[in-house]
DNA sequence: GGAGGAATGTTTTTT
DNA sequence: ACATTCCTCC
């Protein structure tokens, strides 16, 4: 046991060995948070305080859950598969599978991902002849998800105007449709579980008594519904260990509520708040800068990182004339770092928004520097995989209309738009699924659709005794998906992906511990029975958390496909530069980090100004970016940048002013922001600047085409306003004689003015 | 049913 | 600027 606690610093030690009561761990960046979490679990088990089945550990991402399981297995000989370690959604999925009847769900309920949810809403809008200009599908989805996050069903949503009344009605129709299809969206997994636990007392008490310890990772990212769920699972007797960092809360835009940390301390009567402030990642200058920056935020629990690593290198800051010159500069610096022996995959290029990656990629490509961009489509989100999954879904639950619609005419089998509409009308009239409505159709459409239904039934019949990978293989053939992509000229990659789906199925069976000869359609395969609560005679049998005890291999695989869309991340092992947004860099670390585009409007992003607390969230984002770096940190910005097809003139980010002078070194000379400058750079007017000689001749970086119009207004024009002072036009909207200008004022920031109204003087 | 052109929307993202 | 999605036409 002693060796578990070996090498922990005093705070870490205190956190790991906390008494069995609720506590908050404020874990700074690079302070060994995951280590504390896993060691805490191992310590609780090894000291005999609890059995592995008496604890639950919750994370946000599958990656984090897997990491925790891996580290735990390395510390103790445990079957982590059967332990309740997983994501919020994954654990709720397990609970709902075990108690599907009490949750009023079919045993084979399926999970809609965001794409499916959006298309379902579009379908509902169409079927109800709702103008989707007035009710954009994305907004409807947002409305539904926010309502669910507040724990509200359609009937409970308060409406105060016709718009919200209509939205609530759509929400109601959506709810019904999901229930009829036997599908749940991501928010529903949470909400359904919360409702199940609040309404079912024996069940609630069972779990509250069972889970003596609940550990929650990244607590600052929890939304209100997730917090409610934790409270329900914990009751009054469980010890909840909430681990998080309010300074790294960067997901308010998707419902995360940092306030949950304060609520947690209050509601769980927390007596122990432990701060992990010893940082094992970054050198001193980097940490000092991060601490200074974040101290500008007012709403903090308070924390200051420290290191033993020494001050290290100063943070380098570079001002470039344009985004292209910024990229050129990056290329030079990267080459230098590589010469110094830093591996490419230890160098990260971070940016605030994805649109910025293009210029960078272009420069890297031209310089033949290998790179990987994080983000983008994941394996299970690819169209061909979604199609294959839809066939599999129909075999498990033919009433899933989303799946039915996706593939009833793919590959094409002559069911046109009209036939599809007839079927949908019929299904709606009868209040049944599309699959069930097929027999009602007559004529040619009826025959063709009947053929499709027969295909699904034949597939189900033929594959009864096959294992999961065999079944997937067979379905790919029967559906003619493989054949379809083989004949398509650009289809080779897709065929390859489909084949990979078979391998993914084989791997899944092994990883989830299904017997490798288990028929895919039969299940649950394990011996443990789900926990059932039946009226009078309450029978609660403990099940472990392994999917193999709860679902058939096929059902389990389908959940997996929705809940774990696959790697979004570029291969870490590859020796290539790592390009990603600051958001996706959270949790990662690199020897050298470049943060690019530190410009007002970009970082902090202009849209954040509209949201309350937006600026502070942007600052936390910058804090996250800075704390990714171990040894070297570079920050750059550009005076002009191509954005949405227009040249933008930006001023340097306010965050640069918040970094202490003693921690930074300006590589470019600091010139006063050049307001009157034309789209020429400070570089041209000041020849001989350090390190710039080689770029001076590259005239192609200097923008020459300026959009103008008959009135003489153009972007980049310097203007004077009687009240606002001097500024520069960064964007023009509207048409000749009717312009609105976005003007970045020197003192007052961005304003949008109507040029017919505002009196502006050209400077 | 697919090719090609117009319209559209561009902060961040996991499940 | 550029990707995606919608729409039209053969």
């Amino acid at each position: 046991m002693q060796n578990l606690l070996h090498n922990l610093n005093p705070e870490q030690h205190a956190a790991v060995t906390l008494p069995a009561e609720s506590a908050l761990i404020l874990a700074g960046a690079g302070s060994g948070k995951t280590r504390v979490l896993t060691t805490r679990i191992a310590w609780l088990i090894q000291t005999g305080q609890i059995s592995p089945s008496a604890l639950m550990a919750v994370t946000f991402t599958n990656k984090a859950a897997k990491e925790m399981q891996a580290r735990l297995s390395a510390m103790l000989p445990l079957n982590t598969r059967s332990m309740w370690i997983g994501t919020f959604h994954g654990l709720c999925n397990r609970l709902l599978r075990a108690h599907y009847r009490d949750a009023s769900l079919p045993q084979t309920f399926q999970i809609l991902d965001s794409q499916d949810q959006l298309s379902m809403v579009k379908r509902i809008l169409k079927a109800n002849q709702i103008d989707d200009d007035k009710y954009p599908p994305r907004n409807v989805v947002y409305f539904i998800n926010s309502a669910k996050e507040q724990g509200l069903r359609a009937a409970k949503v308060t409406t105060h105007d016709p718009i919200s009344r209509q939205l609530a009605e759509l929400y109601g129709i959506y709810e019904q449709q999901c229930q009829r299809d036997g599908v749940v969206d991501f928010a529903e997994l949470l909400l359904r579980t919360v409702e199940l636990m609040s309404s079912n007392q024996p069940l609630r008490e069972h779990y509250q008594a069972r889970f003596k310890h609940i550990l929650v990772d990244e607590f600052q990212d929890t939304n209100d519904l997730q917090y409610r769920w934790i409270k329900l699972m914990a009751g009054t007797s469980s010890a909840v260990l909430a681990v998080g960092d309010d300074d790294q809360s960067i997901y308010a835009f998707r419902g995360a509520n940092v306030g949950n940390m304060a609520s947690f301390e209050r509601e769980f009567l927390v007596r122990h708040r432990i701060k992990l402030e010893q940082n094992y990642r970054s050198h001193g200058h980097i940490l000092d800068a991060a601490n200074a920056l974040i101290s500008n935020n007012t709403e903090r629990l308070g924390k200051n990182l420290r290191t033993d690593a020494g001050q290290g290198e100063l943070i380098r800051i570079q001002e470039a004339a344009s985004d292209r010159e910024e990229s050129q500069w990056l290329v030079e610096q990267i080459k230098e770092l590589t010469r110094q022996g830093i591996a490419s995959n230890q160098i990260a290029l971070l940016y605030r928004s994805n649109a910025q990656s293009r210029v960078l990629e272009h420069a890297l490509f031209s310089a033949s520097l290998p790179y990987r961009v994080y983000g983008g489509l994941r394996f299970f989100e690819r169209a061909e995989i979604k199609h294959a999954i839809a066939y599999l879904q129909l075999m498990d639950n033919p009433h899933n209309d989303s799946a039915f619609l996706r593939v009833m005419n793919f590959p094409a089998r002559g069911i046109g738009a009209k036939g599809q509409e007839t079927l949908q009308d019929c299904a709606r009239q009868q209040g049944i699924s599309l699959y069930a409505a097929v027999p009602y159709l007559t004529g040619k459409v009826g025959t063709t659709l009947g053929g499709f239904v027969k295909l699904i039934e034949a597939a189900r019949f033929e594959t009864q005794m096959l294992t999961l990978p065999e079944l997937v293989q067979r379905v790919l053939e029967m559906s003619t998906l493989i054949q379809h992509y083989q004949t398509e000229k650009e289809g080779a990659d897709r065929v390859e992906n489909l084949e990979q789906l078979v391998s993914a199925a084989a791997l899944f069976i092994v990883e989830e511990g299904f017997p490798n000869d288990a028929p895919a359609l039969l299940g649950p395969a394990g011996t443990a029975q789900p926990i059932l609560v039946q009226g009078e005679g309450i029978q609660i049998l403990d099940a472990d958390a392994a999917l193999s005890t709860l679902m058939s291999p096929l059902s389990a695989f389908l959940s997996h496909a929705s809940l774990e869309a696959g790697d979004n991340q570029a291969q870490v092992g590859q020796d290539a530069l790592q390009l990603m947004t600051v958001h996706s860099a959270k949790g990662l670390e690199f020897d050298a980090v470049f943060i690019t585009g530190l410009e007002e409007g970009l970082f902090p992003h202009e849209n954040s100004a509209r949201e309350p607390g937006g600026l502070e969230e942007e600052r936390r984002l910058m804090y996250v970016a800075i704390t990714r770096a171990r040894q070297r940190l570079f920050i750059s910005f550009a005076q002009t940048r191509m954005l949405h097809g227009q040249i933008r003139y930006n001023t340097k980010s306010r965050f640069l002013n918040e970094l202490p002078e003693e921690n930074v070194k300006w590589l470019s000379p600091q010139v006063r922001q050049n307001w009157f400058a034309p789209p020429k750079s400070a570089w041209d007017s000041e020849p001989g600047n350090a390190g710039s000689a080689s770029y001076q001749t590259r005239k192609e970086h200097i923008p020459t085409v300026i959009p103008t119009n008959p009135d003489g207004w153009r972007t980049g024009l310097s203007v004077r306003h009687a009240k606002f002072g001097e500024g520069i036009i960064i964007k023009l909207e509207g048409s000749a004689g009717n312009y609105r200008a976005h003007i970045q004022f020197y003192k007052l920031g961005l304003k949008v003015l109507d040029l017919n109204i505002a009196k502006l003087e050209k400077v």
Side-chain angles (χ1 to χ4, degrees):
Chain A
M1 174 204 317
Q2 208 48 45
N3 57 2
L4 268 186
L5 306 177
H6 203 227
N7 281 336
L8 293 177
N9 69 34
E11 295 98 55
Q12 292 176 329
H13 187 281
V16 166
T17 59
L18 275 168
E21 58 183 272
S22 294
L24 178 70
I25 311 286
L26 267 185
S31 64
K33 174 195 71 167
T34 311
R35 178 155 184 229
V36 165
L37 264 172
T38 47
T39 313
R40 165 80 173 167
I41 296 174
W43 181 79
L44 285 170
I45 294 172
Q46 204 183 43
T47 53
Q49 296 183 55
I50 56 165
S51 83
S53 61
L55 73 86
M56 180 168 82
V58 197
T59 64
F60 273 86
T61 64
N62 293 297
K63 197 177 153 204
K66 274 192 193 147
E67 161 113 18
M68 205 184 280
Q69 287 176 320
R71 290 218 209 172
L72 201 50
S73 327
M75 284 190 245
L76 293 177
L78 287 169
N79 173 12
T80 50
R81 200 162 46 216
S82 64
M83 290 175 68
W84 288 79
I85 298 176
T87 63
F88 280 96
H89 295 84
L91 295 175
C92 285
N93 182 41
R94 289 175 199 192
L95 285 167
L96 293 177
R97 296 290 169 183
H99 308 290
Y100 64 93
R101 256 180 250 134
D102 293 301
S104 316
L105 285 170
Q107 185 167 23
T108 57
F109 75 83
Q110 295 173 347
I111 301 163
L112 288 186
D113 68 14
S114 320
Q115 281 178 42
D116 300 332
Q117 186 187 27
L118 185 64
S119 23
M120 178 131 167
V121 164
K122 282 184 185 165
R123 217 177 327 134
I124 287 172
L125 289 173
K126 205 169 185 182
N128 291 276
Q129 289 145 17
I130 308 286
D131 179 6
D132 57 3
D133 285 332
K134 208 169 164 194
Y135 298 92
R138 314 199 119 273
N139 294 4
V140 180
V141 165
Y142 177 82
F143 178 88
I144 293 172
N145 291 340
S146 323
K148 289 189 179 190
E149 272 167 31
Q150 294 169 60
L152 295 174
R153 288 294 172 191
K156 291 274 170 63
V157 175
T158 47
T159 58
H160 27 267
D161 56 285
I163 303 261
S164 59
R165 217 167 299 140
Q166 175 70 81
L167 285 168
E169 197 185 322
L170 288 167
Y171 175 21
I173 299 172
Y174 171 84
E175 261 182 345
Q176 277 177 24
Q177 181 75 43
C178 286
Q179 188 64 33
R180 187 163 58 222
D181 288 9
V183 296
V184 298
D185 58 41
F186 289 130
E188 184 73 26
L189 283 170
L190 261 302
L191 180 55
R192 217 29 107 100
T193 312
V194 163
E195 286 174 347
L196 174 68
M197 290 296 154
S198 16
S199 64
N200 193 323
Q201 191 194 346
L203 207 55
R204 181 173 66 243
E205 287 174 352
H206 171 77
Y207 282 105
Q208 291 181 347
R210 170 181 178 158
F211 293 124
K212 305 214 165 43
H213 285 267
I214 296 176
L215 301 93
V216 188
D217 192 18
E218 305 277 16
F219 197 84
Q220 78 283 349
D221 289 337
T222 52
N223 66 31
D224 293 343
L225 191 55
Q226 287 159 338
Y227 180 48
R228 267 181 71 188
W229 179 65
I230 295 291
K231 284 195 275 191
L232 276 168
M233 297 299 284
T236 51
S237 58
S238 304
V240 177
L241 188 72
V243 181
D245 181 358
D246 55 325
D247 290 333
Q248 291 189 72
S249 158
I250 55 173
Y251 286 113
F253 72 91
R254 67 176 197 211
N257 178 7
V258 210
N260 286 344
M261 294 181 95
S263 308
F264 171 75
E265 286 197 316
R266 199 176 57 246
E267 294 174 1
F268 283 78
L269 312 170
V270 167
R271 294 190 305 151
H272 305 277
R273 182 205 275 184
I274 294 180
K275 292 184 192 177
L276 304 181
E277 296 177 297
Q278 177 77 34
N279 174 288
Y280 297 97
R281 182 184 293 157
S282 312
H283 282 161
H285 283 303
I286 295 171
L287 280 194
D288 291 349
N291 283 329
L293 177 100
I294 202 66
S295 70
N296 288 293
N297 274 3
T298 53
E299 314 227 334
R300 299 178 64 210
L301 296 177
K303 195 167 42 44
N304 226 27
L305 296 176
R306 53 169 196 274
T307 179
D308 292 339
Q311 283 305 90
E313 302 264 337
L314 291 167
I315 298 169
R316 313 290 158 130
I317 302 181
Q318 169 76 2
E319 172 171 14
S322 68
D323 47 355
R324 298 185 62 177
E325 291 201 5
E326 182 189 34
S327 319
Q328 279 309 319
W329 170 79
L330 275 156
V331 165
E332 296 308 319
Q333 296 298 318
I334 290 163
K335 283 184 180 162
E336 177 55 29
L337 290 175
T338 317
R339 262 196 293 278
Q340 292 172 19
I342 298 187
S344 299
N345 61 13
Q346 277 307 318
I347 303 176
L349 312 193
L350 308 184
Y351 34 81
R352 175 64 179 82
S353 65
N354 288 302
Q356 289 166 254
S357 77
R358 187 160 302 281
V359 215
L360 298 177
E361 289 185 65
H362 181 79
L364 295 172
F365 187 82
S366 309
S368 322
L369 291 170
Y371 64 89
R372 292 212 102 83
V373 186
Y374 284 56
L377 267 200
R378 291 128 100 220
F379 183 71
F380 284 104
E381 288 168 355
R382 293 166 190 280
E384 64 276 18
I385 300 299
K386 294 281 287 179
H387 285 130
I389 292 289
Y391 278 99
L392 297 172
Q393 286 177 323
L394 288 175
M395 292 174 63
D396 213 29
N397 167 18
H399 303 295
N400 180 341
D401 282 4
S402 306
F404 195 97
L405 279 168
R406 183 180 280 276
V407 291
M408 72 170 158
N409 196 35
F410 193 94
R413 47 177 71 81
I415 303 165
K418 251 173 62 201
Q420 300 193 17
E421 261 170 52
T422 320
L423 180 65
Q424 289 187 65
D425 288 344
C426 173
R428 200 171 331 122
Q429 272 170 23
Q430 311 264 342
I432 53 178
S433 70
L434 298 174
Y435 184 86
V438 169
Y440 291 91
L441 293 200
T442 52
K444 215 171 114 203
V445 191
T447 323
T448 338
L449 275 165
F452 176 63
V453 165
K454 282 207 190 79
L455 170 67
I456 300 300
E457 279 167 359
R460 197 161 39 175
F461 179 75
E462 259 189 50
T463 57
Q464 289 181 76
M465 294 313 292
L466 299 186
T467 65
L468 183 66
E470 289 167 345
L471 178 143
V472 174
Q473 179 69 52
R474 187 77 194 104
V475 169
L476 291 180
E477 291 159 9
M478 290 184 77
S479 63
T480 69
L481 272 177
I482 289 258
Q483 205 187 323
H484 174 262
Y485 286 118
Q486 270 166 350
T487 53
E488 204 174 58
K489 45 184 185 295
E490 308 272 312
D493 282 353
R494 296 182 186 269
V495 173
E496 203 175 301
N497 284 330
L498 287 173
E499 277 156 7
Q500 233 182 298
L501 185 64
V502 182
S503 325
L507 185 67
F508 177 76
I509 290 298
V510 177
E511 280 187 342
E512 287 301 326
F514 282 98
N516 49 21
D517 58 350
L521 289 167
L522 295 184
T527 48
Q529 290 300 302
I531 300 155
L532 296 174
V533 178
Q534 296 160 341
E536 288 293 298
I538 294 169
Q539 183 199 12
I540 299 182
L541 295 175
D542 255 344
D544 71 29
L547 291 182
S548 59
T549 64
L550 297 170
M551 281 181 270
S552 72
L554 179 59
S555 291
F557 186 57
L558 292 173
S559 305
H560 167 81
S562 308
L563 291 178
E564 207 165 333
D567 254 350
N568 176 16
Q569 329 258 10
Q571 265 93 39
V572 194
Q574 297 257 357
D575 194 26
L577 299 160
Q578 310 283 307
L579 272 68
M580 67 193 84
T581 63
V582 179
H583 280 92
S584 17
K586 191 175 163 215
L588 306 177
E589 57 181 79
F590 306 90
D591 286 345
V593 168
F594 291 84
I595 312 174
T596 67
L598 257 277
E599 294 141 39
E600 280 296 300
L602 239 199
F603 200 177
H605 198 280
E606 55 202 1
N607 292 0
S608 71
R610 287 187 249 291
E611 330 235 326
L615 182 64
E616 295 215 346
E617 177 142 322
E618 294 290 306
R619 192 176 281 112
R620 290 192 292 268
L621 201 47
M622 183 61 185
Y623 176 77
V624 167
I626 293 173
T627 52
R628 296 311 94 197
R630 283 197 277 254
Q631 294 143 22
R632 316 283 296 266
L633 179 61
F634 300 81
I635 302 176
S636 59
F637 64 101
Q639 296 174 341
T640 68
R641 180 177 297 277
M642 198 58 132
L643 196 66
H644 308 325
Q646 270 191 313
I647 295 165
R648 299 215 2 178
Y649 298 79
N650 294 325
T651 59
K652 75 166 193 264
S653 170
R654 69 191 74 191
F655 296 151
L656 290 174
N657 303 328
E658 297 176 6
L659 306 179
E661 274 176 35
E662 62 269 27
N663 303 126
V664 306
K665 178 179 181 188
W666 282 75
L667 299 179
S668 51
Q670 267 192 84
V671 286
R672 197 179 81 77
Q673 195 69 42
N674 200 344
W675 287 96
F676 314 101
K680 288 199 167 181
S681 64
W683 292 106
D684 294 85
S685 50
E686 296 188 28
N689 289 331
S692 63
S694 60
Y695 309 143
Q696 296 257 320
T697 52
R698 295 179 197 234
K699 290 283 186 247
E700 83 262 22
H701 297 313
I702 294 152
T704 49
V705 184
I706 309 295
T708 333
N709 66 73
D711 310 330
W713 300 114
R714 61 172 171 84
T715 58
L717 188 72
S718 294
V719 292
R720 188 181 295 114
H721 184 274
K723 263 214 304 249
F724 303 148
E726 283 180 17
I728 191 161
I729 300 180
I730 59 169
K731 192 179 173 186
L732 280 172
E733 283 176 346
S735 49
N738 207 3
Y739 277 109
R740 280 186 309 152
H742 295 230
I743 301 170
Q744 180 80 36
F745 284 100
Y746 185 54
K747 294 231 171 62
L748 295 158
L750 187 72
K751 303 247 184 259
V752 183
L753 301 178
D754 188 324
L755 293 183
N756 287 329
I757 299 167
K759 292 200 185 83
L760 288 175
E761 201 183 320
K762 291 167 196 161
V763 181

